[in-house]
Amino acid sequence: MSQTRPPSPTEETSGGGEPSLKQVMGPGLLLLFIIGDILGTGIYALTGEIAGEVGGAAWLPFAIAFAVALITACSYLELVTKYPQAAGAALYVHKAFGKHLLTFLVCFAVMCSGITSASAASRAFAANLATGFGLDVGNGVILLIALAFMLLVLAVNLRGVGESVKINVVLTAVELSGLLIVILVSLYFILGGNADFSRVVTFETASDKSVFLAVSTATSLAFFAMVGFEDSVNMAEETKNPARIFPRMMFTGLGITGLIYVLVSICAVAVVPVGQLSESETPLATVVQTAAPGFPIADLLPFISMFAVANSALINMLMASRLLYGMGKQGVLPPFLAKVHPGRRTPQAAIVFTTVIALGLITYVSLSPDSPVVSLLGGTTSLLLLAVFALVNVSVLVLRRERAETEHFRAGRVLPVVGTVTCLYLVLPWSSGRPSGQYEIAGVLLALGLILWVVTWYTHKKENAGAG
């Protein structure tokens, strides 16, 4: 899962006379890009946590998260077909409100969501590595593996990563293959009469939560598996006839991933008892190993899961560092964040800065052996992005006063309002049922951004006063 497409070096350094991006993406490539961006850490790592919240009805939060994503996608479609530029939420919010601080907070929140998502992926990578190699290790060793993996991501990003749509096709195929393996192996188990479908419609919630609140909590977490669809707006300038192609491919991509997620969650609880599933840090590997313990394919899934979450971590850290670099270059954040390696031409300061934050996050949430690390970080990711999505839905309504020069997709009057309400419902603590830790992490990250912003503003103010 990634949140924005990092610009190429030529895009970053070219002046105003730069030609427009080449339109190379047709319907097929755009569809694979959308599916590849949505697939990732969420479904591979959080199915058990979601089952732990609602019991066997783990498919319901995924279905609700899909509906919320679909509504918000309509708002994104109206904006991307109205303003077909390689940008995202920050551009739309700035066009709607023109408040630089609000625009900065949206951009910084998206950047932080990349860091929290990558941090969740690193923990999932470590857990799958231990499972794949049969290592019986404790929380401390898993933490060290996660930190080492994040340092490896740092090294790769410092060296430079060339991202292309064709590579994304390969990565999508690998990620998708793991989920299809889960479904097919589970069907083999189910057809053998070994599954317990009674669990699929059984709600089991904590004693201090009503069914409604438990579903809300699980949906807030399941939404982490649906994010990524909004990233496709960054491909608008490289898509042929975006006003016609984008709506069809966005809806198709969301529909395919939503269906796969619901099928995977149904298969998971039918094959593995909910208690066992919720305690596993590698739930889908547990499903395959239960359904086909004698098949070599059961030993393969942890490595496919490693690949899927590693790809999520790499792209999200790439995105986060490039956003931070862009804010430093624009003078919104301290200029040292815009420093580029002279040889590799990578934003070295921003890469190191975002990696330090990620290392701190992983360590902090892993200090307690009983801490649900992936769900805590994944939930923080969805918290940040749902707040951004609420603003995007409002922006659609505000920007209706601007007439578009060409025909574009229209989300109607009702859907943006419904999108705003549902996103806020899944953000607010008394309705979403989120643990306080998610708000603490999000608050600390945004506070760090505000401190950097104030320091930069004060520095510029002193420099301008001195020049005057």
Side-chain angles (χ1 to χ4, degrees), residues 113-198:
S113 74
I115 296 176
T116 53
S117 178
S119 300
S122 71
R123 176 73 183 205
F125 177 92
N128 277 287
L129 185 145
T131 300
F133 286 104
L135 304 177
D136 186 14
V137 294
N139 180 64
V141 176
I142 294 292
L143 170 59
L144 291 177
I145 296 173
L147 295 176
F149 169 72
M150 191 55 68
L151 291 175
L152 179 62
V153 171
L154 166 69
V156 173
N157 279 341
L158 284 174
R159 183 173 178 82
V161 178
E163 188 179 19
S164 73
V165 174
K166 291 182 179 179
I167 292 177
N168 182 265
V169 171
V170 177
L171 301 179
T172 299
V174 175
E175 293 176 343
L176 189 57
S177 69
L179 300 177
L180 293 179
I181 286 173
V182 173
I183 294 172
L184 293 176
V185 171
S186 297
L187 286 176
Y188 170 80
F189 185 80
I190 291 167
L191 292 175
N194 300 309
D196 183 1
F197 270 103
S198 66

Side-chain angles (χ1 to χ4, degrees), residues 1 3 76 109-110 113 223 227-228 230 380-390 423 427:
M1 175 195 67
Q3 312 307 327
Y76 268 95
V110 172
S113 74
F223 200 83
V227 297
E230 76 285 353
T380 305
T381 303
S382 71
L383 170 64
L384 290 165
L385 287 179
L386 281 164
V388 171
F389 292 168
C423 287
V427 165

Side-chain angles (χ1 to χ4, degrees), residues 8 26 31 48 61 84 115 138 160 164 169 202 210 270 293 320 322 326 360 401 415:
S8 67
L31 176 61
I115 296 176
S164 73
V169 171
T202 302
S210 64
R322 290 304 180 93
R401 63 194 178 201
L415 286 182

Side-chain angles (χ1 to χ4, degrees), residues 204-418:
E204 297 175 19
T205 63
S207 57
D208 60 335
K209 286 186 179 180
S210 64
V211 171
F212 193 77
L213 184 59
V215 171
S216 298
T217 304
T219 302
S220 301
L221 191 55
F223 200 83
F224 176 50
M226 293 303 305
V227 297
F229 69 88
E230 76 285 353
D231 184 39
S232 62
V233 302
N234 295 291
M235 304 303 295
E237 289 185 53
E238 294 165 275
T239 302
K240 302 170 184 176
N241 195 359
R244 182 176 65 87
I245 290 177
F246 249 92
R248 288 191 293 118
M249 293 306 102
M250 179 76 86
F251 291 140
T252 303
L254 278 169
I256 290 172
T257 52
L259 177 62
I260 290 173
Y261 284 0
V262 169
L263 287 176
V264 167
S265 57
I266 289 174
C267 289
V269 296
V271 171
V272 181
V274 172
Q276 183 182 347
L277 194 67
S278 63
E279 292 173 0
S280 175
E281 282 200 82
T282 57
L284 299 192
T286 301
V287 171
V288 175
Q289 288 163 356
T290 302
F295 284 13
I297 205 168
D299 299 325
L300 180 63
L301 191 69
F303 297 100
I304 293 177
S305 301
M306 284 169 57
F307 186 88
V309 301
N311 181 48
S312 295
L314 182 62
I315 294 178
N316 274 283
M317 290 304 289
L318 183 66
M319 174 278 296
S321 62
R322 290 304 180 93
L323 276 179
L324 198 66
Y325 161 80
M327 286 185 276
K329 189 178 180 182
Q330 294 296 321
V332 179
L333 289 179
F336 81 87
L337 293 170
K339 288 187 179 296
V340 175
H341 189 280
R344 298 291 180 186
R345 300 190 67 182
T346 52
Q348 58 181 3
I351 290 172
V352 172
F353 193 87
T354 50
T355 303
V356 169
I357 295 176
L359 293 173
L361 272 178
I362 298 166
T363 303
Y364 172 72
V365 298
S366 300
L367 290 177
S368 171
D370 299 324
S371 175
V373 177
V374 177
S375 65
L376 188 58
L377 293 171
T380 305
T381 303
S382 71
L383 170 64
L384 290 165
L385 287 179
L386 281 164
V388 171
F389 292 168
L391 283 170
V392 169
N393 280 302
V394 174
S395 298
V396 170
L397 299 172
V398 174
L399 290 171
R400 290 274 168 84
R401 63 194 178 201
E402 288 190 9
R403 291 185 177 273
E405 297 179 359
T406 57
E407 285 295 317
H408 61 87
F409 180 87
R410 295 182 184 276
R413 295 183 178 181
V414 176
L415 286 182
V417 175
V418 174

Side-chain angles (χ1 to χ4, degrees), residues 69-95:
L70 193 63
I71 293 170
T72 300
C74 291
S75 293
Y76 268 95
L77 284 172
E78 175 164 336
L79 293 169
V80 73
T81 54
K82 190 174 182 180
Y83 309 105
Q85 302 167 21
L91 170 70
Y92 306 143
V93 171
H94 190 71
K95 278 183 174 291

